Amino acid sequence: MKRNVELVVISDVHLGTYGCKAKELLRYLNSIQPKTLVLNGDIIDIWQFKKSYFPKPHLKVIKKILSFATNKNTQVYYITGNHDEMFRKFTDFELGKLKVCNKICLDIDQKKTWIFHGDVFDASVQHSKWIAKLGGKGYDLLIVINNVVNWFLEKMGREKYSFSKKIKNNVKKAVKYIGDFELTASELAIDNHYDYVICGHIHQPQIREVINKKGSCTYLNSGDWIENLSALEYHDKEWKIFYYDDHKDSLKDDEAEEIQDMDSSELLKIVTNFS
């Protein structure tokens, strides 16, 4: 039985990388029937496409997203991020109920909602892209090593461990960056009279109220499907963060028909020919 959800926001899936938890995301997507699905950036990792790595579960996620887009009951927005910036040339392109955009503004129960990926705040992405890409590769390698370590920990009956979370939580600059990111997005939202501002990009799930002298807003972040395996859900006038690990026992494996493996270069060729 699928859960009806008014609005679902996911971001930072990074399809095409070894760290992506595509099987888990597919189980989640198969468990819901959203009225609106927002893909808030970095869904397909174009930066890492040279790996020629795009296995079946990753393709099935794309197929599932497209099935939502052809469903008359679901509106799908694909907001571009820095890792899938190639799709920005398709801005305002529509296919069925799928729309590609850089940001969206929604009215949710009479509350103004501003949704964008958030890389606009990242100076390393905007001004030194090669540094950002190098950092992305380092992060991907860290995730691969972390996956191996967690495999051994699970076999030993031990709890999983996140290297990058430990680093982020203990490095003052990283903590300050996250805080600055959240504050900047919130202050801009308040200045523009938005009730909600929703971002991705920093892989940090969050729902919190921000208040300053000019007013207040609710800042939300959907997290990621690399480590946190999280999504934002809005239903019955309430926001919640969905964590896969809290519900994994109730989610079923994908039982859809088999599909053929596709090299990432083939997928990239299809995307390129779309223009």
Side-chain angles (χ1 to χ4, degrees), residues 44-62:
I44 300 176
D45 199 322
I46 302 296
W47 283 7
Q48 307 291 337
F49 252 68
K50 290 182 180 178
K51 291 178 179 175
S52 296
Y53 174 79
F54 218 91
K56 285 182 182 179
H58 295 225
L59 287 167
K60 285 184 176 182
V61 169
I62 293 177

Side-chain angles (χ1 to χ4, degrees), residues 12 69 83 85 94 111 127 142 168 206 231 242 245:
D12 301 275
H83 283 256
E85 63 183 352
E94 295 186 44
K111 291 192 174 183
H127 304 296
L142 181 67
K168 287 176 184 176
Q206 182 67 271
F242 175 95
D245 285 342

Side-chain angles (χ1 to χ4, degrees), residues 164-175:
S164 68
K165 277 188 183 179
K166 187 70 175 177
I167 291 169
K168 287 176 184 176
N169 290 335
N170 286 279
V171 178
K172 289 183 179 180
K173 285 185 178 179
V175 173

Side-chain angles (χ1 to χ4, degrees), residues 17 27 35 83 112 124 152:
T17 66
R27 291 187 191 111
K35 288 184 179 178
H83 283 256
K112 290 179 64 180
S124 69
F152 281 107

Side-chain angles (χ1 to χ4, degrees), residues 25-54:
L25 175 56
L26 194 59
R27 291 187 191 111
Y28 170 62
L29 292 176
N30 282 332
S31 74
I32 57 173
Q33 184 55 63
K35 288 184 179 178
T36 303
L37 173 63
V38 178
L39 308 168
N40 196 12
D42 290 359
I43 304 302
I44 300 176
D45 199 322
I46 302 296
W47 283 7
Q48 307 291 337
F49 252 68
K50 290 182 180 178
K51 291 178 179 175
S52 296
Y53 174 79
F54 218 91

Side-chain angles (χ1 to χ4, degrees), residues 225-254:
W225 283 84
I226 299 287
E227 296 175 274
N228 293 294
L229 282 65
S230 58
L232 287 170
E233 295 186 351
Y234 181 82
H235 197 68
D236 289 337
K237 298 184 178 182
E238 183 180 7
W239 284 104
K240 291 181 180 179
I241 300 176
F242 175 95
Y243 288 102
Y244 174 84
D245 285 342
D246 293 340
H247 301 85
K248 60 184 179 182
D249 292 336
S250 63
L251 300 180
K252 296 179 180 179
D253 286 323
D254 173 48

Side-chain angles (χ1 to χ4, degrees), residues 120-180:
V120 66
F121 299 142
D122 195 334
S124 69
V125 172
Q126 297 299 317
H127 304 296
S128 303
K129 192 172 292 183
W130 69 273
I131 294 177
K133 287 186 177 181
L134 184 63
K137 290 182 179 180
Y139 177 75
D140 199 42
L141 178 60
L142 181 67
I143 293 298
V144 171
I145 296 171
N146 206 160
N147 285 343
V148 174
V149 171
N150 281 336
W151 184 85
F152 281 107
L153 288 175
E154 282 190 292
K155 292 295 181 183
M156 296 165 61
R158 302 276 296 277
E159 190 174 335
K160 290 182 180 180
Y161 186 84
S162 172
F163 291 162
S164 68
K165 277 188 183 179
K166 187 70 175 177
I167 291 169
K168 287 176 184 176
N169 290 335
N170 286 279
V171 178
K172 289 183 179 180
K173 285 185 178 179
V175 173
K176 184 178 184 300
Y177 169 73
I178 290 170
D180 289 348

